[in-house]
């Protein structure tokens, strides 16, 4: 299994679409390709960001931009976590124990870093560095609710770090003109996570960036993915034009 796939590498737009949690695949070399949680759990948000790959691929086409997708489940190793983050390899997620990770040691984590995590990030950085005035758009999805928690009302949310907010604020302003949307700002998660993908590939280099979260019941069908991509492409373009960045 290759760690990543790149689509449209030669597309000329400033945008770079990233999809850290595109896949729920488990490499054969990880416990025989089975984390021990069953097929139903591997289809849930704990294993990947439901619907986000299809949305990202279509969005990138419409923006004439490249997109990079991970080819491994976030439960194998999470590319949106820093190297010193204790949740880089999850042993328990939303009430589900991950048997293949329960006794994972430092050597095994390093093996996953070397074969999956690092190649993905090296490829992502290569794409970003090759583009002039790049804008990194990290695409993610979230579940309508977590076990034992209140329902999440936002169809879409924009997450950003407190250290570099310019484009995210412009995007939020544009999204809030969509009368039918409930738009989250740093919801359902805080956007400041040291060592995550945005930190590594945008904040540390001073690159424009934003992180978009879509509620996954909005994009769990091909039609929903198409609809949201076609809605987001002009919104992103207009937000950039209005920002003057």
């Amino acid at each position: 299994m290759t760690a990543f796939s790149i689509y449209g590498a030669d597309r000329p737009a400033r945008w770079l679409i990233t999809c850290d949690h595109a896949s729920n695949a488990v490499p054969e070399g990880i416990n025989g390709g089975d984390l021990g949680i069953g097929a139903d759990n591997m289809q849930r948000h704990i294993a990947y960001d439901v619907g986000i790959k299809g949305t990202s691929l279509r969005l990138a086409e419409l923006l004439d931009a490249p997109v990079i997708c991970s080819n491994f489940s976030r439960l194998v190793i999470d590319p949106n976590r820093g190297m010193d983050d204790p949740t880089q390899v999850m042993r328990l997620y939303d009430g589900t124990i991950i048997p293949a990770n329960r006794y994972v040691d430092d050597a095994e984590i390093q093996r996953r870093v070397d074969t999956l995590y690092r190649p993905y990030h090296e490829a992502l950085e290569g794409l970003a560095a090759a583009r002039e005035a790049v804008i990194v758009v990290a695409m993610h999805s979230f579940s309508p609710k977590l076990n034992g928690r209140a329902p999440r009302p936002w169809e879409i949310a924009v997450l950003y770090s407190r250290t570099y907010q310019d484009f995210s604020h412009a995007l939020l302003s544009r999204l809030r003109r969509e009368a039918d949307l409930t738009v989250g700002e740093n919801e359902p998660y805080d956007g400041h996570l040291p060592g995550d993908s945005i930190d590594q590939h945008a904040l540390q280099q001073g690159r424009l960036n934003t992180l978009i979260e879509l509620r996954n019941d909005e994009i769990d069908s091909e039609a929903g993915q198409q609809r949201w991509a076609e809605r987001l492409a002009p919104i992103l373009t207009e937000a950039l034009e209005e920002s003057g960045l």
Side-chain angles (χ1 to χ4, degrees), residues 36-131:
I37 63 172
D40 288 350
N41 274 319
M42 289 303 297
Q43 296 299 321
R44 296 175 59 219
H45 67 281
I46 64 172
Y48 73 125
D49 281 356
V50 175
I52 206 62
K53 181 176 181 179
T55 308
S56 297
L57 292 178
R58 181 59 180 146
L59 177 63
E61 289 178 352
L62 294 168
L63 292 173
D64 204 15
V67 57
I68 182 169
C69 296
S70 67
N71 288 339
F72 54 92
S73 172
R74 67 197 301 170
L75 294 178
V76 174
I77 189 165
D78 194 334
N80 196 35
R81 295 292 184 271
M83 286 293 297
D84 59 352
D85 191 317
T87 67
Q88 190 184 43
V89 175
M90 294 289 281
R91 294 160 174 82
L92 175 71
Y93 196 168
D94 195 21
T96 298
I97 294 171
I98 317 302
N101 292 345
R102 191 169 186 179
Y103 301 110
V104 69
D105 59 15
D106 290 345
E108 173 59 16
I109 292 174
Q110 188 61 50
R111 186 175 73 89
R112 298 182 191 186
V113 167
D114 292 341
T115 58
L116 299 168
Y117 180 97
R118 184 169 289 121
Y120 173 78
H121 282 288
E122 288 175 349
L124 198 167
E125 180 58 29
L127 283 172
R131 315 192 79 74

Side-chain angles (χ1 to χ4, degrees), residues 52 69 87 161 215 238 245:
I52 206 62
C69 296
T87 67
S161 168
R215 202 176 66 212
E238 290 164 18
L245 294 167

